[in-house]
Amino acid sequence: MVSFTTFLIASLAGASLAAPTKAPLAKRSNSKKGISYNDASLVSLFSDGSWAYNWDMSVGGSLPSGVEYVPMFWGTGSESGWDAAVQTALASGSTHLLGFNEPDLSSQSNIDAATAAALYKQYITPYASQATLVTPAVTNGGAPMGLTWMEQFLTDCNGECGVTVMAFHYYADDNVSNFENYVNQAISTAASYGISEVWITEFQATGVSDDAQAAFINSVVPWLDQQPAVGRYSYFYAADGYLTSGGALSETGSAYNSAE
Ligand SMILES: *[C@@H]1O[C@H](CO)[C@@H](O)[C@H](O)[C@H]1NC(C)=O
């Protein structure tokens, strides 16, 4: 797709030496691209991105207009305040809810699949008529973690959790075909439980240079955009040393913002 921003910069470059550094914030895309953050003020650095989340149930600041905030029930301990937070989010335009963060990892929410399914049904399923419900997001660890944990969770849900989107994370090197194969494997796992949409709520090429991360982003973002089963994705993440640097987009942040 021809980029409007490229056209704009090319046009202005003829008239002025000063190229604009970012597009107007009001002009948000309907893209699958999301911004994950802890500091809400960093989200406005991104001119592209239709949704955002912070591993929490409240926005914690203000997001640019046109960006959907997606609350998360992080794990055990999130019960208090959840219903009030969801009411606030729904009233502010949220249309999706995220389940637990990396329940398959002991250092994250660390919940076994059976307990997770019961907790999910108690706290998140009641909103199935008001929002699209997303599964817990698993790591890409091998069995019993990752997609194996997800299969057990979906089995334990027994079709009663109300989930219509499956979420997962991916951290590995910058091998593009390995990433695409893994996404396809996750799509197959979801499909075998009657779920036709997946979200990659965290992913990053790790242990490689910023140049290699930018090249990885420029390869996989267009591919993700073309996959009908991929609903949304979010590269890790809007924070200093990652997608931002000193209050501006970093090299990887610029690549992620402009990739299409
Ligand atoms: C990616 O990984 C596969 C093995 O999974 C390997 O065969 C292939 O050569 C790798 N590609 C690159 C560009 O390193």
Side-chain angles (χ1 to χ4, degrees):
M1 191 189 298
V2 174
S3 160
F4 176 74
T5 309
T6 304
F7 171 73
L8 186 66
I9 291 171
S11 305
L12 290 177
S16 161
L17 291 173
T21 54
K22 58 185 175 181
L25 295 178
K27 186 176 178 297
R28 292 278 157 182
S29 75
N30 294 316
S31 75
K32 304 176 182 184
K33 189 180 293 177
I35 313 298
S36 45
Y37 68 94
N38 290 144
D39 176 352
S41 70
L42 294 177
V43 179
S44 63
L45 296 174
F46 297 83
S47 58
D48 190 25
S50 61
W51 66 287
Y53 82 104
N54 60 348
W55 297 270
D56 205 344
M57 60 181 83
S58 300
V59 64
S62 62
L63 295 177
S65 124
V67 175
E68 180 197 351
Y69 175 67
V70 184
M72 172 186 280
F73 191 110
W74 188 87
T76 52
S78 300
E79 296 87 346
S80 171
W82 171 248
D83 290 310
V86 171
Q87 295 305 337
T88 299
L90 293 174
S92 307
S94 297
T95 55
H96 299 78
L97 299 176
L98 293 167
F100 323 127
N101 188 62
E102 300 188 338
D104 56 326
L105 189 60
S106 59
S107 60
Q108 290 293 317
S109 68
N110 190 32
I111 316 173
D112 68 83
T115 303
L119 195 64
Y120 199 100
K121 288 178 197 175
Q122 184 177 355
Y123 287 96
I124 307 178
T125 305
Y127 295 103
S129 66
Q130 296 170 76
T132 297
L133 306 187
V134 184
T135 65
V138 289
T139 70
N140 57 315
M145 296 168 68
L147 296 177
T148 302
W149 187 100
M150 182 64 74
E151 289 175 331
Q152 190 58 54
F153 171 79
L154 292 170
T155 299
D156 291 336
C157 276
N158 197 27
E160 297 159 5
C161 286
V163 292
T164 57
V165 177
M166 192 190 93
F168 64 97
H169 297 167
Y170 182 90
Y171 290 92
D173 66 17
D174 58 343
N175 186 309
V176 170
S177 53
N178 288 347
F179 174 77
E180 293 177 355
N181 288 341
Y182 190 81
V183 172
N184 283 329
Q185 187 188 340
I187 289 170
S188 297
T189 299
S192 67
Y193 288 86
I195 297 174
S196 59
E197 181 175 344
V198 303
W199 288 14
I200 304 121
T201 47
E202 291 180 27
F203 71 111
Q204 187 190 2
T206 54
V208 299
S209 68
D210 287 354
D211 283 353
Q213 283 198 64
F216 176 80
I217 288 166
N218 282 321
S219 291
V220 302
V221 164
W223 182 82
L224 290 170
D225 286 341
Q226 285 163 13
Q227 306 312 305
V230 174
R232 292 182 176 185
Y233 54 79
S234 170
Y235 198 81
F236 187 77
Y237 78 128
D240 225 54
Y242 293 86
L243 296 177
T244 71
S245 176
L249 293 178
S250 63
E251 178 185 356
T252 54
S254 293
Y256 183 58
N257 189 47
S258 59
E260 59 180 9

